[in-house]
Amino acid sequence: MIGALIIVLLGGLIVLGYMYFLSENDHLQEKQLPCKGLDAYQRVQLLFISDIHNRILNEATFKKINTVDIVVIGGDFVDKRTSYERFMHNLSILKQWGAPVYFVPGNNDHEWKYGSFLDDLIKEEVTPLSNEDEYVELPNGTAVVLSALDPYFMKPNRNASYLEDQNCLQILCVHDPYVFKRMNQGSKERFDMVLSGHTHGGQIRLLGFGPYERGGWQINENQSFLVSEGYGTSLLPLRLGTQAECHWIELTPKN
């Protein structure tokens, strides 16, 4: 009887150790996508990361990336566990390419313990997008409109540049993919690419089942839609059947 209990306890510890390993073993997902919003010879290299929570970014992973034009943080950059030192460390890694950094709020960013999180981001030269749109012209002449939906901080004013006829790449960033899915079809179709996170892919999946679907890409002729499984974890630092990930995406013209 005691021997059986020891075996069960050891098996449980091994499983927990494996789940912790999965939560700390990050993956850099690289993808090239043709977009109708780009002209010939235009390129956009974009880094997207969401749901960092209380995790420390792995410097070695991000050293693999040579060039970034735009960095987008897709919400839950912090939570109530995150120290100011960890926040600054993670931010320094995401700023290493000298590219503009944009932040879309998530549901846990309200838990920041040190004052106004949006103000702290602005102080560090990060641009929060809270129900706003940002027209970005890259050094190579490529124009991009970044739009963001934010049901959390609820900034009231909106510069709705994406509603105009912009002859350029249109990217929507929203923390929770469900918010995008609730949009009317006409509004959805305005965007060449949609970036989201929030779900962690279910984080812990048993026999393939979890509270959310696995993350990944949904790509059709006119739009690419990403639901990232996120970089960190909420609550317990454990994963099963999902992976910790960030995304380097190169956008190219459609032939």
Side-chain angles (χ1 to χ4, degrees):
M1 182 68 177
I2 294 177
L5 285 174
I6 291 173
I7 290 172
V8 170
L9 287 172
L10 286 174
L13 289 173
I14 290 170
V15 171
L16 285 174
Y18 176 64
M19 293 170 70
Y20 178 76
F21 169 79
L22 290 178
S23 74
E24 293 291 311
N25 185 32
D26 58 356
H27 298 262
L28 174 61
Q29 305 287 3
E30 299 181 86
K31 195 169 188 65
Q32 188 177 77
L33 290 170
C35 288
K36 62 180 177 61
L38 292 174
D39 294 332
Y41 308 113
Q42 289 186 325
R43 295 285 189 280
V44 178
Q45 295 175 335
L46 184 147
L47 176 66
F48 178 69
I49 185 167
S50 72
D51 302 280
I52 299 171
H53 288 277
N54 192 43
R55 189 165 172 202
I56 300 174
L57 297 188
N58 183 350
E59 291 188 52
T61 298
F62 295 89
K63 290 295 184 185
K64 299 174 185 176
I65 304 172
N66 294 320
T67 308
V68 174
D69 296 314
I70 298 173
V71 176
V72 177
I73 304 168
D76 285 359
F77 191 8
V78 298
D79 61 27
K80 61 185 176 183
R81 303 167 293 175
T82 311
S83 68
Y84 203 92
E85 291 74 21
R86 185 163 296 189
F87 159 70
M88 291 297 293
H89 167 83
N90 288 345
L91 193 55
S92 68
I93 289 178
L94 297 178
K95 293 170 68 177
Q96 66 182 288
W97 302 279
V101 181
Y102 296 92
F103 167 78
V104 181
N107 55 298
N108 288 113
D109 295 301
H110 276 291
E111 299 173 5
W112 182 241
K113 300 175 294 186
Y114 304 98
S116 168
F117 187 55
L118 297 187
D119 287 345
D120 283 340
L121 287 171
I122 292 170
K123 185 171 66 177
E124 297 301 326
E125 300 181 327
V126 175
T127 303
L129 296 177
S130 177
N131 293 326
E132 293 175 291
D133 310 282
E134 183 84 1
Y135 179 86
V136 185
E137 186 167 339
L138 302 179
N140 63 12
T142 303
V144 181
V145 171
L146 290 176
S147 299
L149 294 176
D150 168 23
Y152 308 112
F153 282 79
M154 296 295 290
K155 187 172 179 179
N157 295 324
R158 182 175 181 86
N159 169 27
S161 58
Y162 81 82
L163 295 176
E164 302 172 6
D165 291 328
Q166 294 281 348
N167 185 25
C168 64
L169 183 70
Q170 305 250 352
I171 299 174
L172 175 66
C173 311
V174 55
H175 178 64
D176 186 343
Y178 182 65
V179 174
F180 171 71
K181 292 176 181 178
R182 291 184 62 188
M183 292 172 62
N184 66 63
Q185 192 61 32
S187 296
K188 289 181 180 179
E189 292 174 353
R190 295 180 184 276
F191 301 101
D192 302 295
M193 186 169 68
V194 181
L195 302 172
S196 67
H198 179 61
T199 69
H200 298 245
Q203 191 166 311
I204 296 175
R205 308 182 66 85
L206 298 175
L207 301 176
F209 295 96
Y212 295 99
E213 295 179 0
R214 286 294 308 265
W217 288 95
Q218 297 175 24
I219 299 175
N220 60 39
E221 184 178 352
N222 296 315
Q223 187 178 83
S224 302
F225 177 29
L226 171 64
V227 180
S228 174
E229 293 190 347
Y231 193 84
T233 54
S234 58
L235 298 178
L236 298 175
L238 301 173
R239 284 184 180 266
L240 187 65
T242 62
Q243 62 183 12
E245 60 186 13
C246 55
H247 307 266
W248 183 85
I249 307 160
E250 183 175 48
L251 303 174
T252 61
K254 278 196 169 184
N255 294 329

